[in-house]
Amino acid sequence: MSSSSQTTQPAPGSFTCCRVRIDGYDPDTAVAALLESRYGQARRTHLCNAYTLSLALRDPEYRELLNASDINFSDGHYVAMVGRRRGQPQMVRRVYGPELMLHTMDRGRERGLRHYLYGSAPTTVTKLAEALRERLPGVEIVAAESPPFRPLTEHESVELEQRVRDAKPDIFWVGLGTPRQDQFVAQYAARLQCTLVPVGAAFDFWAGTKPMAPKFFQKYGLEWAYRLATEPRRLWKRYLVGNPLFIYGVLTDPRPRG
């Protein structure tokens, strides 16, 4: 666990998948953990699915980044399935990024939880903030920002830190795509002093700019097939290369001793 950890509800346990530590949160305990977020307490979280873990399998630096986090949620259907087979019986459902975001914002209204939206295109993040405020009256969205599509300069980083200090968000939602959003979380959590949560396509889904897979596809672990059918040129490599690599990683994971 990273040095930025704060006192939270303990995870039910953890397991290894594709050499990455996955914490045994189910959807309810994941939301409960995020509801404890407070500005001034830095936390690094990541949502791990088959694609994320296939990248980690190939890239030791990225794998180390994930393993140094405070919380790694099981964003993928098959990641949760592996968890059940590796001693986490409570993982009957994955921690799906878009639902984690929406449910945390919903329940966070009672606690006055403050949210910062960071990512995607300017029109998308603006639509996202509008859609969330309409859907969740009273939700505190303190900023909605689209960054440049490149690493920030040091001057830009300092300006971002100042904007976050002024806004004082409890949760900083990141929608930059994998692996860029995970790298951002690792680099900026300590600097921004809040809980950073990378949720990728959730920005597009809740903004209404891209369709979410129907519940049937999600329930049976076929969301990848739906997304591949809707964006084949952009996603073919992610799924047709990433999925077999994920399976290889699961089959070759070192077995725990004892």
Side-chain angles (χ1 to χ4, degrees), residues 33-232:
L34 292 189
L35 289 175
E36 296 176 355
S37 303
R38 294 294 179 269
Y39 178 73
Q41 298 174 310
R43 252 193 320 179
R44 286 171 51 183
T45 75
H46 301 277
L47 283 94
C48 298
N49 53 38
Y51 177 60
T52 307
L53 296 177
S54 73
L55 292 178
L57 199 63
R58 290 174 280 175
D59 184 343
E61 186 175 334
Y62 183 50
R63 182 166 67 245
E64 183 178 345
L65 176 157
L66 294 175
N67 279 322
S69 71
D70 294 296
I71 301 175
N72 285 332
F73 295 117
S74 57
D75 181 48
H77 176 88
Y78 296 105
V79 180
M81 182 185 295
V82 171
R84 289 196 299 276
R85 296 185 177 183
R86 294 184 178 176
Q88 306 297 319
Q90 76 284 355
M91 297 181 70
V92 295
R93 289 190 296 137
R94 63 174 175 160
V95 180
Y96 184 41
E99 291 183 351
L100 177 66
M101 182 182 190
L102 190 67
H103 294 163
T104 301
M105 286 189 164
D106 182 12
R107 292 182 54 192
R109 288 181 292 175
E110 298 176 358
R111 303 189 181 200
L113 215 63
R114 297 164 63 85
H115 305 275
Y116 199 116
L117 307 177
Y118 184 86
S120 199
T123 54
T124 299
V125 77
T126 299
K127 287 180 180 178
L128 173 64
E130 292 172 351
L132 290 170
R133 288 186 177 115
E134 182 177 349
R135 184 167 187 155
L136 303 170
V139 67
E140 289 199 54
I141 297 174
V142 296
E145 179 179 338
S146 175
F149 194 71
R150 56 167 172 74
L152 300 181
T153 65
E154 182 55 29
H155 178 69
E156 289 169 336
S157 296
V158 170
E159 289 184 329
L160 174 62
E161 287 180 56
Q162 184 59 57
R163 290 195 297 276
V164 172
R165 271 198 300 273
D166 292 341
K168 293 181 171 51
D170 302 302
I171 302 182
F172 189 100
W173 301 96
V174 187
L176 299 177
T178 303
R180 185 181 169 211
Q181 60 190 10
D182 296 303
Q183 294 160 347
F184 180 93
V185 166
Q187 182 178 357
Y188 284 95
R191 297 181 69 164
L192 301 184
Q193 285 297 298
C194 53
T195 296
L196 272 64
V197 189
V199 289
F203 276 44
D204 291 301
F205 294 159
W206 296 131
T209 56
K210 289 183 181 178
M212 189 182 299
K215 292 292 185 182
F216 173 86
F217 286 84
Q218 294 184 38
K219 180 178 180 180
Y220 293 101
L222 296 172
E223 183 185 16
W224 68 269
Y226 179 85
R227 294 194 66 194
L228 179 60
T230 56
E231 296 185 84

